[in-house]
Amino acid sequence: MHVDIYRWGQQQQESSQQDLGCGVLALALLPPCCLCAQLLLCETCKTKVYPDNLPTTSVVIVFHNEAWSTLLRTVHSVINRSPRHMIEEIVLVDDASERDFLKRPLESYVKKLKVPVNVIRMEQRSGLIRARLKGAAVSKGQVITFLDAHCECTVGWLEPLLARIKHDRRTVVCPIIDVISDDTFEYMAGSDMTYGGFNWKLNFRWYPVPQREMDRRKGDRTLPVRTPTMAGGLFSIDRDYFQEIGTYDAGMDIWGGENLEISFRIWQCGGTLEIVTCSHVGHVFRKATPYTFPGGTGQIINKNNRRLAEVWMDEFKNFFYIISPGVTKVDYGDISSRLGLRQKLQCKPFSWYLENIYPDSQIPRHYFSLGEIRNVETNQCLDNMARKENEKVGIFNCHGMGGNQVFSYTANKEIRTDDLCLDVSKLNGPVTMLKCHHLKGNQLWEYDPVKLTLQHVNSNQCLDKATEEDSQVPSIRDCNGSRSQQWLLRNVTLPEIF
């Protein structure tokens, strides 16, 4: 059945391609990279002229039990939509797949393609990180381009990536990632108005490109966006530079955290990380991971995140540990070689990264307290109750275990829980959790360390205990000096670190 599915796709490519605008040849039924919102940007990108002598690239694609149709769609889109002289080879790294069609049938198929395709087999399930290292080690191109196994490259995707690396070999570049539906395979344009960040739990997140970055580019949306972090699935890097900065942390397992680790390392050690807005690659975003993590997903990701926090985040790792206290019990292995790499490369501290690369980070650079906010009268603590944006903040019995009861009172006088700030938009509340906007206003709180009050400046009211009507939500009332309006801001003591 998988062969029939692929033949359909191949027929679409060979006989039904059509120019859908912006110089992008897309499969019939699939719109190009530039939908209406992107039209002006794409038209401007079409006028870009790139040097003839761009470096060659090896495209490294790791797969594990991937569907035939999606894997070959990735391979064919690389071949069909890239200048032939820029593609040194495609390296397919099989991370111990069990499906028969990914063995000899795949090898026979790729031998007939017009670009050299090298199939490498991992002896046992090793995960994305080690499989990519294996693929990079055998690759020959001047640039290594990593792609996931379920992508579709668009016409013009490669030249702007290679041009940036030619301009500065220490620049690591990512395309805009367009969305391919995992239900219908509909192709939808990604946005050039978002870039990569992360929250206190070290989860990668997309956030709006800040005004300071728009100003740096002087409104030219075709210029690359400097991004604090990358998603990690799709990027290009000079092969020698990849070696110089320490490739991947081979002590990490399977997948998870490696994208933030290499992002921090690039910036802190003198490189640049960019999203190249004239490059588009589609990616199938699956609702669930179709394969297992040996040892359990949570355990592996916690180990990986612990390694990156210990090596790169300095004292700011406390935000991660306090909100995820269980992580401190995870054995993260030997990091001496990675610490040695940081020293050898004379990398900057994480405070420099927050100050210069990610000043709008969810981790505040300066703060008065990090821990619980405890009501003097009731002995209860503010608690985000695992609620989401636009929901009310909660209050609950203090447990002293961090997690949902961790709040930071920042130097900017915000009360933050991860990337949400306490916000009051009208008299007498409610107190809701909204995305921190750094504009003060409804998110500005004045703490009096003598009176122990938290006064909401705009309303001139004070944070108070819960009401009888809702025992799990703090209130906001006219300031009256009562004990119910007194709050202790206590730094949480870190749990014993293993």
Side-chain angles (χ1 to χ4, degrees):
M1 181 62 183
H2 61 269
V3 175
D4 292 338
I5 293 172
Y6 179 67
R7 282 178 183 160
W8 175 84
Q10 190 177 40
Q11 289 167 359
Q12 294 295 319
Q13 283 190 317
E14 292 176 351
S15 62
S16 300
Q17 284 185 331
Q18 51 185 306
D19 188 346
L20 297 179
C22 300
V24 175
L25 287 173
L27 296 183
L29 309 180
L30 297 180
C33 78
C34 45
L35 302 181
C36 295
Q38 303 288 83
L39 185 59
L40 180 59
L41 175 60
C42 285
E43 286 295 330
T44 308
C45 286
K46 283 174 61 178
T47 67
K48 295 280 185 180
V49 178
Y50 301 102
D52 294 328
N53 57 340
L54 292 176
T56 63
T57 188
S58 294
V59 180
V60 176
I61 302 168
V62 174
F63 66 93
H64 172 74
N65 288 342
E66 190 69 38
W68 177 273
S69 55
T70 49
L71 178 60
L72 270 296
R73 177 187 196 173
T74 307
V75 171
H76 274 276
S77 71
V78 170
I79 295 172
N80 294 346
R81 294 169 178 174
S82 309
R84 174 63 189 89
H85 65 280
M86 295 180 190
I87 300 291
E88 182 77 29
E89 63 189 340
I90 297 173
V91 180
L92 297 180
V93 186
D94 175 18
D95 189 16
S97 295
E98 299 147 341
R99 297 175 175 177
D100 289 339
F101 61 81
L102 294 173
K103 301 187 185 303
R104 186 170 296 177
L106 177 63
E107 292 180 13
S108 300
Y109 185 91
V110 299
K111 285 179 182 177
K112 304 171 186 176
L113 300 177
K114 59 185 179 182
V115 168
V117 180
N118 188 8
V119 181
I120 305 296
R121 308 283 184 183
M122 303 297 287
E123 293 182 3
Q124 61 185 20
R125 179 77 193 286
S126 303
L128 178 76
I129 297 165
R130 295 188 184 110
R132 280 187 167 183
L133 287 173
K134 182 74 175 260
V138 304
S139 65
K140 303 169 187 171
Q142 298 165 260
V143 169
I144 302 171
T145 296
F146 294 105
L147 295 180
D148 282 344
H150 29 273
C151 292
E152 181 183 343
C153 302
T154 66
V155 170
W157 75 284
L158 185 58
E159 297 94 315
L161 298 179
L162 298 181
R164 293 301 297 168
I165 293 174
K166 179 178 175 57
H167 175 72
D168 184 348
R169 60 184 290 272
R170 298 185 304 167
T171 299
V172 181
V173 289
C174 311
I176 287 182
I177 304 175
D178 297 332
V179 177
I180 301 174
S181 166
D182 66 344
D183 289 326
T184 65
F185 282 82
E186 178 187 4
Y187 196 111
M188 295 164 279
S191 173
D192 68 303
M193 301 299 287
T194 59
Y195 75 172
F198 60 94
N199 61 13
W200 290 6
K201 294 182 180 180
L202 298 186
N203 295 324
F204 174 86
R205 290 286 184 268
W206 295 106
Y207 293 105
V209 175
Q211 188 60 45
R212 60 180 172 77
E213 180 62 10
M214 303 294 286
D215 294 342
R216 185 191 67 82
R217 297 156 71 214
K218 298 179 180 175
D220 186 350
R221 291 170 60 188
T222 68
L223 292 179
V225 174
R226 291 180 178 173
T227 181
T229 66
M230 64 165 149
L234 293 67
F235 70 97
S236 295
I237 186 169
D238 178 272
R239 64 174 299 106
D240 293 333
Y241 183 59
F242 188 51
Q243 293 294 326
E244 289 169 19
I245 66 164
T247 64
Y248 279 114
D249 177 359
M252 288 185 166
D253 292 333
I254 310 294
W255 170 90
E258 85 289 342
N259 58 322
L260 297 190
E261 193 274 342
I262 198 170
S263 299
F264 295 167
R265 180 157 36 98
I266 288 164
W267 281 117
Q268 289 175 245
C269 305
T272 302
L273 182 58
E274 296 180 342
I275 295 173
V276 179
T277 55
C278 285
S279 173
H280 282 254
V281 176
H283 181 274
V284 179
F285 287 90
R286 299 180 290 206
K287 294 184 179 67
T289 304
Y291 44 80
T292 59
F293 285 59
T297 305
Q299 185 80 0
I300 286 170
I301 293 177
N302 284 343
K303 173 190 174 180
N304 293 351
N305 282 341
R306 181 83 192 276
R307 289 180 69 88
L308 81 88
E310 287 292 330
V311 174
W312 297 106
M313 293 184 67
D314 305 325
E315 70 273 17
F316 293 94
K317 66 189 177 185
N318 292 344
F319 281 85
F320 176 47
Y321 292 157
I322 288 175
I323 203 168
S324 307
V327 172
T328 60
K329 304 299 182 185
V330 173
D331 182 357
Y332 59 96
D334 183 3
I335 59 171
S336 57
S337 64
R338 303 307 287 182
L339 292 171
L341 173 72
R342 177 173 175 173
Q343 185 174 13
K344 173 187 172 185
L345 296 177
Q346 298 183 319
C347 304
K348 294 182 173 67
F350 198 69
S351 58
W352 175 90
Y353 171 84
L354 293 178
E355 189 80 33
N356 295 277
I357 305 304
Y358 199 12
D360 40 7
S361 165
Q362 311 315 318
I363 294 179
R365 301 190 302 285
H366 308 290
Y367 53 94
F368 176 76
S369 68
L370 174 63
E372 65 182 27
I373 299 181
R374 181 185 294 247
N375 187 274
V376 170
E377 180 176 292
T378 66
N379 219 28
Q380 289 187 316
C381 286
L382 293 186
D383 193 312
N384 65 35
M385 315 289 277
R387 294 170 182 161
K388 297 182 174 64
E389 182 182 1
N390 294 321
E391 295 184 333
K392 297 176 184 178
V393 70
I395 192 167
F396 201 70
N397 295 333
C398 301
H399 51 58
M401 297 175 62
N404 293 343
Q405 292 187 355
V406 173
F407 289 79
S408 179
Y409 182 59
T410 73
N412 292 329
K413 300 184 178 181
E414 304 160 323
I415 303 175
R416 302 181 63 123
T417 173
D418 202 351
D419 59 353
L420 301 178
C421 281
L422 299 199
D423 189 295
V424 178
S425 60
K426 59 183 180 181
L427 285 175
N428 302 316
V431 184
T432 56
M433 298 180 291
L434 298 181
K435 279 281 167 58
C436 301
H437 52 53
H438 314 294
L439 299 175
K440 299 186 178 181
N442 289 338
Q443 296 180 359
L444 182 64
W445 298 82
E446 190 77 54
Y447 182 66
D448 188 325
V450 176
K451 296 180 180 178
L452 304 182
T453 54
L454 276 166
Q455 184 177 6
H456 182 252
V457 175
N458 263 13
S459 66
N460 205 31
Q461 293 185 307
C462 287
L463 191 67
D464 208 330
K465 68 178 181 181
T467 62
E468 293 182 1
E469 292 78 28
D470 195 340
S471 63
Q472 292 190 337
V473 174
S475 60
I476 187 157
R477 301 175 182 173
D478 291 339
C479 300
N480 56 28
S482 65
R483 281 169 54 84
S484 67
Q485 292 184 355
Q486 292 182 326
W487 301 86
L488 298 174
L489 275 54
R490 292 182 174 176
N491 287 300
V492 169
T493 303
L494 278 172
E496 182 180 354
I497 296 180
F498 175 76

